[in-house]
Amino acid sequence: MENRSCVVGTAGWSIPAAYKASFPAAGSQLERYAMRLSIVEINSSFHKPHRGETFERWARSVPGHFRFSAKLPRAVTHERRLQGCNDLLDIFLGQIGGLGAKLSVLLIQLPPSLQFEAQIAENFFASLRAKTDRRLVCEPRHPSWFDPEAEALLSRFQVGRVAADPAPVPAAAMPGGWREIAYFRFHGAPRIYYSDYEADQLLEIGRRLAEASASAAEGWCIFDNTARGHALGNALSVDAAVRQMTFSSRNALPSATRA
């Protein structure tokens, strides 16, 4: 697979029975997944720690171009709520380091109840930024994170704001913060984690991703509607649509010039 500015994947790499025919038969699920899609989001790191050796094995399982994003532990975001968590960050970054250069993005998903408090946010992002040079994206869900002060702080620490569906507030539907990455997470709507996206919705998602990526270094699109296995089919459809858009754009005839 070639490097592209728009990349599509899912939260986790499970291959439901309905899509097995679309993947090679041999290999682990991650190995098979990585033959069709070029990114994946590790959500299990939110719920439990993994040994460094586990991350190393995952990194060895995928091609050289393949990239991971990984979700920060809930102990950091939901339990300590971004405060006093340097020890937890050190442990997590030590473990996740097993992915090596294939770790591209760290995802910070905040609880809906966590309001924006400038000093707490500044301390946290300054600390995290000092510990890692990986790209950071944040998915806030409290309305206070969508005002100009929060936007400026995320930009200052080079943190992209996730575009989420469903969006908790209208501004959450489009990427914000640092504009070098446009990171979309589609959770399923109207029923979060369960709902499938229809064909016309997937085409629109592909257009949105392509448009956002035009003004960013890279656009990531993650489908998180995994409860009934819809995420993988949605990702394959959008990946194909984005590839077609990219091909059409590259092969468009130049506009005629006036004599």
Side-chain angles (χ1 to χ4, degrees), residues 3 21 24 82 86 88 114 123 142 148 174 185 192 222 243 248:
N3 290 327
L82 308 185
N86 277 334
L88 298 178
L114 186 60
N123 291 344
H142 191 278
M174 291 303 294
R185 300 188 83 220
I192 228 174
I222 296 292
R243 286 173 179 274
S248 298

Side-chain angles (χ1 to χ4, degrees), residues 110-171:
L110 304 181
S113 62
L114 186 60
Q115 298 184 40
F116 175 73
E117 295 185 44
Q119 193 59 61
I120 292 173
E122 179 165 1
N123 291 344
F124 173 77
F125 286 114
S127 177
L128 181 56
R129 181 48 76 201
K131 295 174 184 294
T132 181
D133 60 357
R134 295 299 190 264
R135 290 180 294 180
L136 305 177
V137 295
C138 181
E139 184 179 2
R141 290 181 283 179
H142 191 278
S144 60
W145 282 84
F146 299 89
D147 65 18
E149 184 182 8
E151 185 80 358
L153 185 142
L154 292 173
S155 296
R156 178 153 56 94
F157 287 104
Q158 298 185 341
V159 180
R161 177 167 51 72
V162 169
D165 181 74
V169 298

Side-chain angles (χ1 to χ4, degrees), residues 56-70:
E56 290 172 4
R57 185 178 74 252
W58 290 345
R60 290 194 301 270
S61 298
V62 297
H65 70 271
F66 192 89
R67 293 294 178 265
F68 295 86
S69 68

Side-chain angles (χ1 to χ4, degrees), residues 13 27-35 54-64 66 68 99 102:
W13 48 80
S28 69
Q29 288 207 58
L30 176 56
E31 289 172 325
R32 293 158 60 207
Y33 172 100
M35 296 304 293
T54 299
F55 290 114
E56 290 172 4
R57 185 178 74 252
W58 290 345
R60 290 194 301 270
S61 298
V62 297
F66 192 89
F68 295 86
L99 293 174
K102 292 176 181 175

Side-chain angles (χ1 to χ4, degrees), residues 8-10 19 186 188 195-199 202 205 221 223-225 229-240:
V8 184
T10 63
Y19 302 106
F186 290 92
S195 292
D196 195 6
Y197 288 97
E198 301 293 336
L202 295 172
I205 287 169
C221 178
F223 284 93
D224 189 32
N225 51 336
H230 296 310
L232 190 57
N234 291 169
L236 290 171
S237 294
V238 171
D239 185 63

Side-chain angles (χ1 to χ4, degrees), residues 7 9-11 39-43 67-71 104-108 135-139 159-165 172-176 178-187 208-209 212-213 216 218-223:
V7 285
T10 63
I39 61 167
V40 76
E41 185 180 273
I42 301 173
N43 266 205
R67 293 294 178 265
F68 295 86
S69 68
K71 194 173 182 180
S104 184
V105 182
L106 295 176
L107 167 66
I108 306 125
R135 290 180 294 180
L136 305 177
V137 295
C138 181
E139 184 179 2
V159 180
R161 177 167 51 72
V162 169
D165 181 74
M174 291 303 294
W178 190 52
R179 297 309 176 103
E180 289 299 304
I181 184 169
Y183 197 104
F184 292 81
R185 300 188 83 220
F186 290 92
H187 300 292
R208 287 177 59 193
L209 177 62
S213 299
E218 190 169 76
W220 280 51
C221 178
I222 296 292
F223 284 93

